[in-house]
Amino acid sequence: MAAVTLTVWGSVPAAGFAVPPPNVSAAMRAADAYHDSGAYQKDFDAVIAQASQYLAQQAPKVSHPAIVLDVDETVLSNWPQIHANHYGDFDHGDCSRLPAGPCGEHAWVRLAQAPVFPATRQLIRQAEAEHVAVFLLTGRHERHRADVVRNLHQQGVTGWTAFYMRPDGEHRPAASFKPEVRARIEAQGYHILETIGDQPSDLSGGHAQRGFLLPNPFYSVE
Ligand SMILES: [Mg+2]
């Protein structure tokens, strides 16, 4: 039998792409494996361990030391929602079928059932013990404050000095909004030792001595 002559996508000149885009299903399987194997947790904890060590080293050297923490995928994990939605990002869906989706953003925040990352909770407790002020800084809007605070309290996260949220109606990228807040914290006399988050926009823009970027292959925000 004669071999079939194949023309394979990717072997002919692509229309405007140097390489074909990644296959989305394969990317989802890889992200599932990264999470379910425990590698995500190990990588996450390794970054927090470095942040903890740096905090212990640097706090005694400055007056009014502080740290700034993002919330989602930094203090609280949205994995139950992310997994239920197969990495989809949408507002609606009542979350009544968890662990199956759909579980939209509004209902998920109202549920206040995001689990804590124990390593980050421990870092916050370390900061308190070493008299380092803790500032939370999230891109979530003010209208969600009560639900997010309830979620944090239920997960044993307390003791922060201030919790900055995005004003309702404000839609600037985090890379613009977050450094401004850190500048306001500095203007109150604090020395920000470190800013910790899962998105590059949690670290960019200065106003912190050092940044720690946590793993997050599951989504990105500006
Ligand atoms: Mg985050």
Side-chain angles (χ1 to χ4, degrees):
M1 187 187 295
V4 177
T5 301
L6 300 174
T7 299
V8 179
W9 175 58
S11 68
V12 294
F17 286 82
V19 294
N23 183 280
V24 173
S25 293
M28 288 198 294
R29 283 194 296 273
D32 282 345
Y34 180 59
H35 180 276
D36 296 347
S37 68
Y40 168 57
Q41 194 65 62
K42 276 187 185 164
D43 289 349
F44 186 101
D45 290 351
V47 175
I48 294 293
Q50 290 194 24
S52 167
Q53 191 175 35
Y54 190 74
L55 174 64
Q57 288 169 351
Q58 299 297 316
K61 298 180 181 175
V62 301
S63 64
H64 299 94
I67 61 173
V68 176
L69 290 149
D70 168 55
V71 175
D72 292 288
E73 270 53 65
T74 299
V75 182
L76 296 176
S77 167
N78 294 292
W79 180 254
Q81 182 209 23
I82 294 167
H83 189 251
N85 293 335
H86 299 284
Y87 305 98
D89 177 19
F90 41 86
D91 291 337
H92 302 291
D94 64 11
C95 302
S96 63
R97 298 174 62 240
L98 284 171
C103 179
E105 195 65 21
H106 301 317
W108 172 245
V109 175
R110 278 197 304 273
L111 275 179
Q113 290 180 0
V116 74
F117 288 98
T120 312
R121 182 174 57 195
Q122 185 54 40
L123 177 70
I124 291 169
R125 290 175 180 172
Q126 175 193 346
E128 286 182 79
E130 298 183 15
H131 307 291
V132 175
V134 173
F135 292 93
L136 302 180
L137 172 53
T138 180
R140 287 202 190 275
H141 286 99
E142 282 285 352
R143 64 180 179 274
H144 298 304
R145 177 176 290 272
D147 292 322
V148 179
V149 167
R150 180 162 51 97
N151 196 154
L152 289 164
H153 284 168
Q154 284 172 353
Q155 293 294 316
V157 178
T158 57
W160 58 80
T161 296
F163 183 3
Y164 292 93
M165 304 189 81
R166 191 191 296 265
D168 289 338
E170 154 79 69
H171 293 290
R172 281 185 301 150
S176 164
F177 157 69
K178 289 195 167 185
E180 279 185 17
V181 173
R182 292 200 299 275
R184 282 161 50 197
I185 293 168
E186 286 181 337
Q188 295 168 42
Y190 289 99
H191 183 108
I192 300 175
L193 297 174
E194 52 193 36
T195 175
I196 305 166
D198 63 292
Q199 302 287 322
S201 56
D202 292 317
L203 278 54
S204 63
H207 301 289
Q209 195 169 303
R210 187 160 161 184
F212 290 87
L213 182 63
L214 296 159
N216 183 357
F218 313 125
Y219 63 86
S220 65
V221 297
E222 277 188 39

